[in-house]
Amino acid sequence: MVLQSFIVFEGLDGSGTSTQIKLLQEKLSENKTWITAEPTNNETGLFLRKMLKGEIKIHPKTSAYMFATDRCEHINGKNGILDQINAGKLVISDRYLFSSLAYQNQDCTWDLPYNLNKEFPLPEYLFFFDMAPEKSLERVFARANKTGEQTEIYEKLDFQKKTYQEYKKIIEFYSKPEFSDMKIIVIDASKSIQEIHEKIWSIISKLPILEV
Ligand code: TYD
């Protein structure tokens, strides 16, 4: 099932999704949009952030369940994705189930994350930020050096290279006719921030929900 007015940004760590979401946030009225992200700010998401920093160690299968749990509440919980859409808002999420398919797939095969996530609604638009893992990871490290921010357990070249391959397979899988209600837009994430923003804005600004 595709949820209209639901937009998802996906890509490797460092591919620029958060920067683009911030630019959109500056242009879009709060009355009409809900900008969100996964992992969420709920307790489940905070647990996952600790796991990502390596402060909590769990089995890779448990991570797949945890990300799906966090997502289930993100979708169905009070003031979550469904509530916001039903209130007439455009919802934009930085990451969604495609991250689980790309990242959790590596340690526990496609079946577990796929089965845990297959009942969740698909977005109307999936923007995939396409960037070579060497380049996106370079950005992650440059940012960490600048801010002193700790890097996360998945931010390693071998892992990101595999994640990139998984994303490519996911795009192919969801390009099948049975999923044609979800529009997939591949963004060349090596382009300038402004160019990427203009491309995204040319699509989002025309959405009927933003009219009036
Ligand atoms: P990210 O979105 O880059 O946020 P931040 O910049 O705040 O660290 O990081 C989230 C990490 O979580 C990223 O490495 C991908 C990972 N992740 C999964 O492995 N599975 C998932 O289902 C989701 C939503 C994220």
Side-chain angles (χ1 to χ4, degrees):
M1 181 197 110
V2 164
L3 208 50
Q4 297 301 318
S5 308
F6 179 34
I7 293 175
V8 168
F9 282 24
E10 287 277 357
L12 293 178
D13 297 83
S15 62
T17 57
S18 311
T19 305
Q20 290 299 330
I21 287 191
K22 273 195 208 104
L23 288 177
L24 284 176
Q25 199 160 15
E26 285 165 17
K27 276 196 176 162
L28 293 164
S29 129
E30 253 183 62
N31 298 332
K32 288 196 171 177
T33 11
W34 189 56
I35 308 274
T36 183
E38 293 189 1
T40 67
N41 288 327
N42 295 329
E43 291 293 325
T44 43
L46 300 181
F47 177 95
L48 283 164
R49 294 263 168 219
K50 287 190 191 156
M51 187 280 288
L52 290 165
K53 286 198 194 109
E55 292 166 16
I56 293 178
K57 294 207 174 5
I58 53 175
H59 191 278
K61 282 189 182 176
T62 316
S63 307
Y65 282 97
M66 283 297 298
F67 278 109
T69 302
D70 188 46
R71 182 164 303 122
C72 188
E73 192 60 18
H74 192 205
I75 300 166
N76 299 293
K78 193 166 163 33
N79 298 328
I81 295 171
L82 288 176
D83 276 359
Q84 301 287 344
I85 300 247
N86 289 335
K89 293 209 180 180
L90 173 71
V91 174
I92 303 177
S93 182
D94 195 350
R95 298 193 179 280
Y96 188 56
L97 61 85
F98 311 99
S99 286
S100 280
L101 299 178
Y103 287 74
Q104 275 62 61
N105 179 13
Q106 298 184 43
D107 294 317
C108 46
T109 81
W110 166 269
D111 288 4
L112 183 64
Y114 182 72
N115 286 327
L116 290 173
N117 287 280
K118 68 180 178 205
E119 303 301 333
F120 296 143
L122 294 173
E124 182 182 355
Y125 279 97
L126 164 62
F127 286 92
F128 173 62
F129 283 55
D130 191 348
M131 179 174 265
E134 290 80 3
K135 184 147 188 205
S136 51
L137 203 55
E138 205 176 281
R139 285 195 190 173
V140 170
F141 290 138
R143 188 175 57 198
N145 272 338
K146 209 166 137 195
T147 61
E149 199 182 290
Q150 189 187 338
T151 54
E152 295 176 341
I153 57 167
Y154 297 145
E155 292 168 342
K156 299 196 171 69
L157 188 56
D158 278 359
F159 194 92
Q160 293 291 319
K161 277 185 177 170
K162 282 191 224 139
T163 309
Y164 184 69
Q165 294 311 323
E166 295 305 329
Y167 265 130
K168 291 270 158 166
K169 286 187 209 155
I170 290 161
I171 299 295
E172 207 183 305
F173 178 79
Y174 283 102
S175 297
K176 290 196 262 183
E178 63 199 276
F179 302 113
S180 62
D181 286 351
M182 173 173 75
K183 296 177 259 303
I184 302 175
I185 314 286
V186 177
I187 298 283
D188 176 355
S190 66
K191 292 234 165 89
S192 76
I193 292 177
Q194 196 51 35
E195 266 176 291
I196 297 172
H197 173 65
E198 276 163 23
K199 162 106 185 153
I200 295 171
W201 186 245
S202 72
I203 295 168
I204 291 190
S205 61
K206 291 197 191 83
L207 292 175
I209 195 166
L210 294 179
E211 280 168 13
V212 189

